[in-house]
Structure formats: C-alpha cells, structure tokens
Amino acid sequence: MARLQGHVLGFGMLFCTLSLWVGSSVALQLVYNGTSHFGKPMFVSVFNTCTYVVCLLPSLFSSTLTWRSLTSVLPLSASVGLLWLGSACIFNMSLEYTSVATNTVISSSSSVFTFVFSLIICRDPFRWSSFVAAVLSLLGCSLVAAQAPQNVSKSAVTNSNFGDLLALVSAGMFALSSLLLR
C-alpha cells in the first residue's frame, strides 16, 4: 500500500511539474506575442534566475556554511549559473519563433544530450538500457516534432526552423548544466 501511495504521489508531483512548465511557457509566449509585445527574453531569464537565488539565501546564513566551503563551491556555481542563465534565455527566445508544443517536445530531448555528455565528459560506462532509453526518447521527440501543429489563427506563433534550433540548443545547454551539478 505504501508503494502505491509513493507512485501516486510521484505521478502527482510529475503532473504538477509538467503543468507548471507548460503553463509558464504559454504565459511567456503570451507576454512576448500578446498585446504587449514584450520581446525581452534576457530580462525574463535574469528575473527568473534571480528569484531562484532568493530562495537559496536562507542557506547562505546557516551555521554549517563556512568560508572554505563557500570558496570551493563558488567557481562551479558561477559556471553552472551562467550556463543555466544562457540556456534559459535561449529557451525563452525560442518561444518567440516556435509554438509551446514544439518547444516542449524539443526541450524533452535534453535526456539524449545528458546521456551523450555523461559518456564523453564524465566517462560513465556505456549501458545498453540507457542507450535504448535515449534512442526511444529521441525517436519520440522526433516523431512529435515532425507533426508540428498547424497555425490555426493569425495570432499564433509561426513555427520556424530557427525557433526549433534555439530550443534544441537550449536542451543541450540544460543537459550540460545538469551534468555539471553531479
């Protein structure tokens, strides 16, 4: 019974995460292409990243944090933070050039990049199960991306190869930043 409750909780949290991710992308696309035409993806990315930092401030003042541990973590934090900020900016910029549906599917290909980067950079051992999962993920993303939604209204964002490329670059950068966090 406890295992079933864990599965239900896990799927519920996954549903909430996906809803927030897609919902924020839709909201951001409305901000960019709605009546306001606020085309500033860098501002939105910096603002969002700063709100993450605010959530981390209480740990900065904890008694377990020492100057030595802080100086050892800062270089990695700076590089991961800049990479994350760049990938978030490129992700947000891609929403100006492609639909949320296509953007979400292409962004899901980050697991393939994570697999490849873990083999190359971290020298992780090759596992067939990981390879099959990465290939299936890539195949699924490719199939859905090939069936990109048709623009049904004049106000809809036109899907473009440039927007798809930005989403793909963003997925690779997100994968690299998550790999650096290991």
Side-chain angles (χ1 to χ4, degrees), residues 16-26 91 100 103-105 107-108:
C16 289
T17 302
L18 291 174
S19 298
L20 286 172
W21 180 22
V22 172
S24 66
S25 295
V26 169
F91 176 86
V100 171
N103 179 296
T104 301
V105 169
S107 297
S108 298

Side-chain angles (χ1 to χ4, degrees), residues 36-181:
S36 66
H37 297 291
F38 185 76
K40 300 191 181 353
M42 186 63 172
F43 171 79
V44 174
S45 302
V46 170
F47 180 78
N48 287 344
T49 304
C50 288
T51 57
Y52 300 146
V53 172
V54 168
C55 294
L56 296 174
L57 284 178
S59 66
L60 195 66
F61 299 109
S62 71
S63 61
T64 59
L65 188 65
T66 65
W67 181 253
R68 183 179 175 136
S69 65
L70 186 63
T71 56
S72 65
V73 171
L74 276 179
L76 178 62
S77 299
S79 60
V80 170
L82 288 174
L83 189 61
W84 185 271
L85 178 64
S87 59
C89 183
I90 292 171
F91 176 86
N92 291 341
M93 199 179 337
S94 72
L95 288 170
E96 289 188 70
Y97 301 102
T98 193
S99 69
V100 171
T102 304
N103 179 296
T104 301
V105 169
I106 292 174
S107 297
S108 298
S109 68
S110 66
S111 61
V112 175
F113 288 110
T114 303
F115 173 70
V116 171
F117 291 157
S118 69
L119 292 175
I120 296 170
I121 297 170
C122 297
R123 305 272 189 227
D124 284 352
F126 179 85
R127 292 184 189 91
W128 279 104
S129 59
S130 299
F131 175 74
V132 169
V135 167
L136 290 175
S137 175
L138 182 63
L139 183 64
C141 291
S142 300
L143 287 172
V144 174
Q147 298 298 319
Q150 299 297 321
N151 298 322
V152 291
S153 71
K154 291 180 181 180
S155 64
V157 174
T158 304
N159 290 327
S160 70
N161 290 335
F162 180 64
D164 295 350
L165 177 67
L166 288 174
L168 192 63
V169 168
S170 171
M173 291 174 70
F174 275 127
L176 188 59
S177 62
S178 67
L179 194 69
L180 288 174
L181 288 174

